[in-house]
Amino acid sequence: MANALIPEELQALINQYLTDGVLTDKERAVILKKAEGMGLDRDEIDLYLDAEVQKIDQATDAAARRQKSKACPYCGASVPQLADKCPNCGQFITPEASKELEEILENLEDALVKMKSRKDFERSKATVERYARKARLYYSNHPKIKVLLAEVDSEMKIAESKLKETERKEALISIIKNRWVWVLVECILSAILIIYYSMQISKYDQMGRDNWVKWNDNQNDTESYALWHQGNALEEDARTSRIFVIVASVFVITGTAIYAAKGK
């Protein structure tokens, strides 16, 4: 996407987040959400962000490599100190000690430790990904880099899994601690009990009516007479239970709501 197609307000936000050369997932999400609000295509903005991050990485690398580089013996192009392959002609070159590689290793390991501790996880993850990209791009065949990148991939999966698990637990604890949730649960349980006893009342009322009709038609039918009285008794019990549930629910829900409103 051409830079001219991006509104100045959005470009200013992108520039602000890219000041340190790192774009976290949270920062990316904020930019994409703002872009959608402006009617821009989310995928196009996402690709544009990838391109901007890559430009910054390449610019940083180019500046460093101008000062510490060697000439390719095959094509004469500038080659990073520890690169095992010329980026210009593709010929393989024997690696040599390089401060740049040490810097990548040090920063990658440091960012990985921070990511494991889950302190500012998003920024640590973005930093790890940045140095991992650089390591894969220029030093993918270096033994230490291979081992470290394999560890990075494994640890990132583990760290993200633990973070998601922690977030789920925290969300559940937050719901449990939310007193208004308990008010809602009490309301639902009360409604279920009231509906149940109302259905019981209707059932026993109909039972009494049916047996009263039978007994009225044949007063010698003692069984219908007994069932009529039984239905009336059960209906009365159900009415009493429903009244108790309603009264108890009012007291319990009111008390919980007051407790929740105080927020102590």
Side-chain angles (χ1 to χ4, degrees):
M1 173 184 288
N3 194 7
L5 298 179
I6 297 181
E8 291 184 5
E9 182 182 354
L10 183 61
Q11 185 62 55
L13 182 63
I14 293 173
N15 293 340
Q16 177 184 344
Y17 285 154
L18 286 175
T19 301
D20 58 358
V22 175
L23 187 66
T24 68
D25 290 346
K26 189 173 293 185
E27 290 170 343
R28 182 183 291 266
V30 171
I31 293 172
L32 293 177
K33 184 176 181 181
K34 188 173 185 65
E36 284 183 332
M38 294 179 171
L40 300 175
D41 184 271
R42 182 186 180 91
D43 292 336
E44 289 186 2
I45 297 297
D46 200 21
L47 290 173
Y48 176 74
L49 293 176
D50 288 339
E52 289 298 293
V53 171
Q54 188 174 5
K55 283 180 184 177
I56 292 175
D57 289 345
Q58 290 175 345
T60 303
D61 293 342
R65 291 171 200 289
R66 279 193 292 270
Q67 296 182 352
K68 44 181 180 181
S69 62
K70 59 187 178 183
C72 174
Y74 301 100
C75 69
S78 179
V79 181
Q81 285 284 350
L82 255 185
D84 56 0
K85 186 177 181 181
C86 175
N88 183 55
C89 65
Q91 293 290 342
F92 286 93
I93 302 168
T94 304
E96 298 174 8
S98 170
K99 184 179 178 181
E100 180 182 41
L101 182 58
E102 292 177 3
E103 180 186 346
I104 290 177
L105 288 168
E106 182 180 345
N107 283 284
L108 195 54
E109 289 174 344
D110 182 57
L112 189 59
V113 170
K114 289 181 180 178
M115 190 181 70
K116 286 181 182 179
S117 68
R118 295 196 291 276
K119 293 180 180 179
D120 198 359
F121 178 82
E122 293 294 337
R123 182 163 295 280
S124 298
K125 177 186 174 185
T127 303
V128 167
E129 289 175 342
R130 178 184 179 185
Y131 282 105
R133 279 197 306 271
K134 184 185 291 185
R136 286 190 177 95
L137 182 61
Y138 298 110
Y139 309 107
S140 58
N141 289 331
H142 193 282
K144 288 185 178 180
I145 289 294
K146 284 183 178 180
V147 173
L148 188 56
L149 288 177
E151 183 184 355
V152 165
D153 291 338
S154 175
E155 289 298 336
M156 282 187 70
K157 290 179 181 178
I158 294 173
E160 287 179 341
S161 177
K162 287 183 178 180
L163 182 65
K164 288 179 181 178
E165 183 180 351
T166 301
E167 288 175 346
R168 283 195 296 268
K169 288 181 180 178
E170 290 176 350
L172 181 60
I173 292 172
S174 177
I175 291 173
I176 293 174
K177 288 184 177 181
N178 190 329
R179 294 159 184 168
W180 289 109
V181 171
W182 287 104
V183 174
L184 178 61
V185 171
E186 289 168 1
C187 289
I188 292 173
L189 291 176
S190 298
I192 291 172
L193 288 173
I194 291 170
I195 291 172
Y196 169 76
Y197 284 117
S198 296
M199 293 173 65
Q200 292 294 96
I201 290 170
S202 177
K203 172 185 172 182
Y204 294 134
D205 177 61
Q206 189 62 43
M207 172 183 168
R209 288 174 182 273
D210 292 342
N211 285 285
W212 182 84
V213 170
K214 290 180 182 179
W215 177 75
N216 197 41
D217 291 340
N218 181 11
Q219 295 191 0
N220 292 324
D221 187 353
T222 56
E223 183 181 355
S224 296
Y225 180 78
L227 290 173
W228 170 46
H229 277 285
Q230 183 183 5
N232 289 339
L234 291 172
E235 179 188 352
E236 189 61 31
D237 288 343
R239 289 184 185 277
T240 302
S241 297
R242 184 174 66 175
I243 292 172
F244 173 77
V245 169
I246 292 173
V247 173
S249 297
V250 169
F251 277 102
V252 173
I253 293 172
T254 301
T256 307
I258 292 174
Y259 180 64
K262 288 182 177 179
K264 294 181 179 179

